[in-house]
Amino acid sequence: MVDIRRSESLFQEQEEPSTKTSKNPIVRFQSFSFLGKSKQKKAPVEIGNAHAPGDPIDPEQSRHSPLAESGDGISYSLESTSLIEPEVFANVRDTSRSCRVTVVILQAKDLKKHMLGTYVKDPYFKIRIEDISFKTSQVKSSIDKDGVLQVNQRFMFNVKDSKTAELHVEVFERGMLGSEVSLGACLELHIAKLLEQNLDEKDERAKWYELFLKDGKKKMPGKVMMDIVAYIAEPEQTINVFVGTWNVGNTRPPADLSSWLPTNSFYEIVAIGAQECEYQPEASFSECGKDWLHSLRSQLGPRYKILKATSRGQMRLAVFVRDNEEKAICEVYKDSEATGVGHVMANKGGLCIAFKFWDTRLCFVNSHFAAHVGQCSARNGNYREIVGQLRVGIPGMDILSQFHHVFWLGDLNYRLDFGGIEGKSTTPPKEPWLNVVKMIKAGNLKELLQYDELAKEIKASRVLYKFEEGEITFAPTFKMQKGSLNTYSEKRLPAWCDRILWRSVEDCNVKLLSYNSSPAIMTSDHKPVAATFSLVTYSLPSFTTLGLATENDQRWHIRFTSLQAKQLRASDIGGSSDPYVLFMGPNVIREFRTKVKHKTLTPVWDPQKDLPTLVLKPFPLQRLEKEYLMVRVLDFDYTSADDSLGFTVIPISLAVAAFRKGPQETAYFSVELLRHGLPTGTLEGEMILTREKSFAKRRVDFANKLVKKTIAARNSFKNVILLKEYGCG
């Protein structure tokens, strides 16, 4: 099945076949792509937790995302024969580049009911390329005086065969008893011809397309405006990313933010987080959030488009993309978590925006942690809650399990820890305050940073585990006297409250270009902070085009020759757990599970009895070299929902390297499990990559044919009965 990438589109739902899942709980492994460089190592590989989710979800409903399934509708009982020798494939590489098609349905016009001739108020669209289709929910926007309906929904497809693929778009309305009534379809558009056009100007690409009956002969009332782009993606692209954070202090920002925000179009991605951003908007704006976005857009310039913006309480997060890179964006998600009073008040918490840039997954988290000296444990708890509760992509997976790069920014509120000499009051004693200010003015920042609370907590693995931060060479950003360039308020000890950190999966590296503050902005008691990065993004071939790859339904399989976990968290009252593991994702044909091991914190699974064989989708070998298995370990409960014991990823590149050595070579792995963003045990074992002839798909095809024949026979029988009943036989 084609791997679809969908860009931001409100109310989009993917049509998926119903599937059956096993009732027996087990460990969850999900295959996904992290696109780093594979390194062949003999020693155990220690990596963090990350993955790429399955099929995209509605970004407005990011807490509800079905897994990408194989569409088989049955559970696999795999029978494999004839293992393929590695030399057959070791030197065979699919060098074709990915073909991507982006479709933006902008508007619809004159959509009218058949016979009645009245406008259709709530139409919806189905769009399909090859064997993948999407369906929007009903479009609820109002129709203007010219009969135009605003749609503005975006789709992205990976295309298997650009020479034969066609784009199909059809418009529907709801009929009686929920039935579908077609309002017409656009004529098929050939992807090969779209590739030949290769136009760059968006206004040249946006066109009106007439609607016809399905046979293409009779023209129907109405037409659809679409912006359609087909292109061949570059295998690698280096992009630059700007990340900024500022506690605005609930005061209108100055008109000039150029000392903080970029003034040119150097960056492909710009992410800006704000805290305490609630002030009286200008008369032309109905709310502060719109006023704030206008200020940012005015500073960034016309080349930057809003990819996504979200707010909760006084926290705001906006991500912009440069106009010539919009085509690279898909699978846009957002979510938020309040950590304030009762975990409901949104004065503190986190916001998240995540998306794919080609096949590289990026996530930005803007957070505002608990304030005041002595609240370090509360701040650590804020982090754990945000990681554990934010939901984007795969349901049940934390944000650190899904992305190549996670950028964490915000007013983290960590202070300078002098061992309690600052007292219990929020207002510090005079002498410690004077000493800190003198050190700042003398430029003794390195000495002062020895007392930085956040650095201590990261070193102790109590917060932001495996996150990195650039060298701090700027003065503390809090607490400033408003209206001053570098004068600190005596109400609080100065501190580096405003921070930007990042975390990347192994072999996916980020280069920090700069990390600084902006003292010239003086309207708040915080100074803005900015960091800039350079990173490599990837576009991987989605499907094998080699004839050898599909002969006799040969597929890549991963078999585990051993698997065990150590130092798992006790989830049950008796001090033990009932662990199992899950494997899932867009690159395995379905979710796979191990068996449950009861009452143990050090489970060992028998490879013959307890472990599944993972069947991968037909991707080329060089994609597997950059793929990861996503793994989730859970505790099985009979009477309640299964508890999470940890998340991790296993690089398939290890198995690929072993496969190239010989057909029976195994790859050893040892990876950390994370829960709520902190270490909670390890998972280790050995795996082998094989190329095998599988009978599973044949069984599915046979079952599908049998169902079709049964339905056809039933319909034929009904027709005979009706003809006899009405005397026509």
Side-chain angles (χ1 to χ4, degrees):
M1 181 177 289
V2 179
D3 180 20
I4 296 295
R5 273 79 179 171
R6 182 179 63 185
S7 291
E8 175 183 3
S9 57
L10 304 182
F11 315 116
Q12 270 178 224
E13 299 174 356
Q14 181 179 4
E15 292 187 282
E16 297 191 25
S18 62
T19 56
K20 297 179 182 178
T21 57
S22 172
K23 295 182 180 179
N24 299 322
I26 313 172
V27 180
R28 180 175 295 170
F29 296 75
Q30 172 162 351
S31 174
F32 66 105
S33 161
F34 267 136
L35 313 173
K37 296 181 180 178
S38 302
K39 292 184 179 179
Q40 184 176 338
K41 298 182 180 180
K42 296 182 180 180
V45 177
E46 302 291 341
I47 64 174
N49 167 26
H51 82 273
D55 287 340
I57 64 172
D58 181 342
E60 298 297 332
Q61 302 291 334
S62 60
R63 291 184 182 268
H64 179 71
S65 171
L67 293 177
E69 297 286 353
S70 62
D72 307 330
I74 68 170
S75 178
Y76 278 83
S77 175
L78 187 66
E79 296 179 8
S80 302
T81 59
S82 303
L83 297 183
I84 308 301
E85 294 297 318
E87 57 267 19
V88 177
F89 293 95
N91 297 317
V92 178
R93 302 179 66 85
D94 179 6
T95 58
S96 63
R97 292 153 62 193
S98 297
C99 176
R100 306 289 173 88
V101 176
T102 300
V103 181
V104 183
I105 303 178
L106 299 168
Q107 299 174 337
K109 185 176 182 180
D110 297 334
L111 299 181
K112 297 183 178 181
K113 294 180 179 289
H114 293 173
M115 307 297 292
L116 298 178
T118 56
Y119 283 112
V120 176
K121 294 183 179 180
D122 302 320
Y124 60 95
F125 299 78
K126 288 185 178 181
I127 179 170
R128 177 172 59 87
I129 296 180
E130 295 175 323
D131 56 353
I132 296 298
S133 62
F134 289 123
K135 180 178 72 173
T136 71
S137 60
Q138 292 174 281
V139 181
K140 298 293 185 179
S141 58
S142 59
I143 301 171
D144 66 17
K145 62 180 181 178
D146 297 320
V148 175
L149 179 72
Q150 299 296 329
V151 181
N152 294 323
Q153 299 200 30
R154 181 173 182 161
F155 308 81
M156 183 177 284
F157 296 85
N158 278 340
V159 179
K160 291 179 181 177
D161 187 351
S162 60
K163 295 180 180 179
T164 61
E166 295 177 337
L167 170 65
H168 301 263
V169 179
E170 191 169 0
V171 190
F172 295 86
E173 68 166 329
R174 291 292 180 192
M176 297 291 292
L177 302 177
S179 62
E180 288 188 338
V181 179
S182 176
L183 301 175
C186 300
L187 297 178
E188 293 84 355
L189 297 170
H190 297 279
I191 304 304
K193 291 184 178 179
L194 292 172
L195 284 170
E196 292 175 359
Q197 294 175 6
N198 194 27
L199 298 177
D200 294 325
E201 297 299 327
K202 187 170 183 177
D203 57 352
E204 293 183 29
R205 297 195 312 248
K207 299 178 182 178
W208 286 105
Y209 294 85
E210 303 287 349
L211 296 177
F212 296 82
L213 286 179
K214 283 190 175 181
D215 59 12
K217 295 179 180 179
K218 183 179 179 181
K219 185 177 178 181
M220 303 294 289
K223 51 188 176 180
V224 179
M225 176 178 280
M226 294 185 290
D227 176 14
I228 305 171
V229 184
Y231 43 86
I232 302 297
E234 292 295 329
E236 294 185 9
Q237 179 182 348
T238 299
I239 66 171
N240 297 296
V241 179
F242 175 94
V243 180
T245 180
W246 185 27
N247 184 317
V248 182
N250 292 329
T251 304
R252 169 173 291 282
D256 184 8
L257 298 174
S258 59
S259 65
W260 173 42
L261 300 180
T263 57
N264 53 40
S265 55
F266 176 73
Y267 303 98
E268 282 80 2
I269 299 294
V270 174
I272 302 171
Q275 311 83 40
E276 295 186 20
C277 186
E278 188 65 45
Y279 52 86
Q280 183 64 38
E282 292 185 352
S284 56
F285 299 102
S286 59
E287 59 186 51
C288 176
K290 295 180 179 179
D291 189 305
W292 172 249
L293 278 179
H294 175 74
S295 298
L296 299 181
R297 297 182 70 175
S298 299
Q299 183 64 54
L300 295 176
R303 290 206 61 187
Y304 285 99
K305 312 298 181 184
I306 294 179
L307 173 60
K308 197 71 174 175
T310 184
S311 299
R312 186 161 186 173
Q314 298 176 357
M315 298 179 294
R316 311 195 186 280
L317 177 61
V319 177
F320 298 81
V321 58
R322 200 171 61 199
D323 53 8
N324 65 323
E325 300 298 348
E326 285 183 284
K327 62 181 181 294
I329 303 296
C330 63
E331 295 183 28
V332 182
Y333 315 107
K334 71 172 184 178
D335 198 14
S336 63
E337 173 66 17
T339 62
V341 179
H343 302 277
V344 175
M345 297 295 292
N347 59 320
K348 299 292 189 294
L351 305 172
C352 172
I353 293 177
F355 56 93
K356 282 176 62 175
F357 194 102
W358 298 124
D359 287 315
T360 299
R361 300 179 181 273
L362 305 176
C363 178
F364 297 87
V365 180
N366 173 37
S367 63
H368 193 185
F369 289 173
H372 303 309
V373 169
Q375 296 299 311
C376 182
S377 295
R379 289 186 271 276
N380 293 348
N382 293 160
Y383 164 77
R384 295 194 300 270
E385 180 180 344
I386 292 170
V387 172
Q389 296 301 319
L390 283 179
R391 289 292 178 264
V392 289
I394 302 292
M397 300 305 302
D398 69 12
I399 58 173
L400 303 184
S401 307
Q402 305 186 44
F403 303 97
H404 301 90
H405 307 287
V406 178
F407 297 90
W408 199 293
L409 55 139
D411 179 3
L412 306 188
N413 256 321
Y414 286 94
R415 307 305 171 98
L416 295 177
D417 181 8
F418 293 103
I421 63 171
E422 59 271 24
K424 297 181 179 180
S425 172
T426 56
T427 301
K430 185 73 172 180
E431 185 176 353
W433 183 88
L434 285 173
N435 290 337
V436 171
V437 171
K438 288 179 180 178
M439 292 177 69
I440 295 171
K441 291 184 177 180
N444 297 330
L445 300 183
K446 287 187 177 181
E447 182 179 351
L448 200 58
L449 281 166
Q450 296 177 11
Y451 302 97
D452 178 52
E453 198 174 53
L454 177 57
K456 292 181 180 180
E457 294 303 300
I458 292 177
K459 186 176 181 180
S461 299
R462 289 191 287 261
V463 73
L464 290 163
Y465 182 69
K466 292 282 182 79
F467 274 82
E468 299 180 64
E469 184 179 18
E471 181 184 359
I472 295 177
T473 59
F474 51 88
T477 55
F478 173 86
K479 177 177 174 86
M480 314 302 301
Q481 287 189 10
K482 292 185 177 182
S484 70
L485 185 68
N486 56 8
T487 302
Y488 290 91
S489 169
E490 296 183 11
K491 293 181 179 180
R492 301 287 189 275
L493 272 179
W496 284 277
C497 291
D498 310 281
R499 313 288 275 267
I500 298 172
L501 303 94
W502 74 95
R503 185 180 192 276
S504 301
V505 72
E506 182 169 301
D507 295 332
C508 290
N509 299 318
V510 166
K511 181 180 180 181
L512 178 68
L513 302 179
S514 65
Y515 189 29
N516 50 55
S517 67
S518 301
I521 296 178
M522 301 178 290
T523 55
S524 172
D525 57 355
H526 289 253
K527 297 298 184 182
V529 172
T532 61
F533 304 91
S534 175
L535 58 94
V536 177
T537 62
Y538 297 85
S539 174
L540 299 179
S542 299
F543 304 92
T544 182
T545 57
L546 303 173
L548 189 59
T550 56
E551 181 183 356
N552 297 320
D553 193 35
Q554 296 167 359
R555 295 191 179 215
W556 296 109
H557 297 66
I558 291 180
R559 298 176 180 272
F560 290 91
T561 57
S562 67
L563 185 69
Q564 63 179 322
K566 297 179 180 179
Q567 299 178 326
L568 293 182
R569 183 179 67 92
S571 183
D572 298 336
I573 296 177
S576 64
S577 294
D578 303 310
Y580 67 94
V581 185
L582 298 176
F583 305 81
M584 55 191 167
N587 299 308
V588 292
I589 62 172
R590 63 176 175 86
E591 183 179 281
F592 292 88
R593 302 183 174 199
T594 69
K595 289 186 177 180
V596 179
K597 308 302 288 184
H598 294 282
K599 298 185 182 303
T600 178
L601 300 181
T602 57
V604 178
W605 286 272
D606 186 328
Q608 300 300 323
K609 301 177 181 179
D610 302 333
L611 298 177
T613 296
L614 310 188
V615 185
L616 306 184
K617 291 185 178 180
F619 293 124
L621 190 60
Q622 69 266 38
R623 177 168 184 135
L624 296 183
E625 291 177 312
K626 297 177 186 283
E627 296 283 353
Y628 291 69
L629 286 175
M630 187 180 71
V631 182
R632 186 182 182 191
V633 182
L634 298 100
D635 170 60
F636 174 71
D637 288 316
Y638 287 100
T639 59
S640 61
D642 295 349
D643 298 324
S644 174
L645 297 178
F647 309 88
T648 192
V649 294
I650 302 172
I652 302 178
S653 61
L654 299 174
V656 173
F659 173 82
R660 293 186 182 280
K661 292 182 179 179
Q664 301 301 322
E665 291 290 328
T666 60
Y668 174 79
F669 61 88
S670 178
V671 292
E672 284 186 307
L673 294 169
L674 298 183
R675 182 177 181 271
H676 293 172
L678 298 179
T680 181
T682 61
L683 188 71
E684 63 182 64
E686 291 181 302
M687 59 183 174
I688 183 172
L689 180 69
T690 63
R691 186 79 176 181
E692 306 176 18
K693 297 177 182 178
S694 171
F695 293 97
K697 189 173 184 297
R698 296 183 188 179
R699 293 178 175 179
V700 175
D701 292 342
F702 176 78
N704 290 338
K705 289 179 181 179
L706 185 61
V707 170
K708 290 180 180 179
K709 288 182 179 180
T710 303
I711 294 174
R714 183 188 63 185
N715 292 338
S716 178
F717 180 73
K718 284 183 177 180
N719 292 336
V720 171
I721 296 298
L722 289 172
L723 288 173
K724 288 183 177 180
E725 184 176 343
Y726 289 97
C728 299

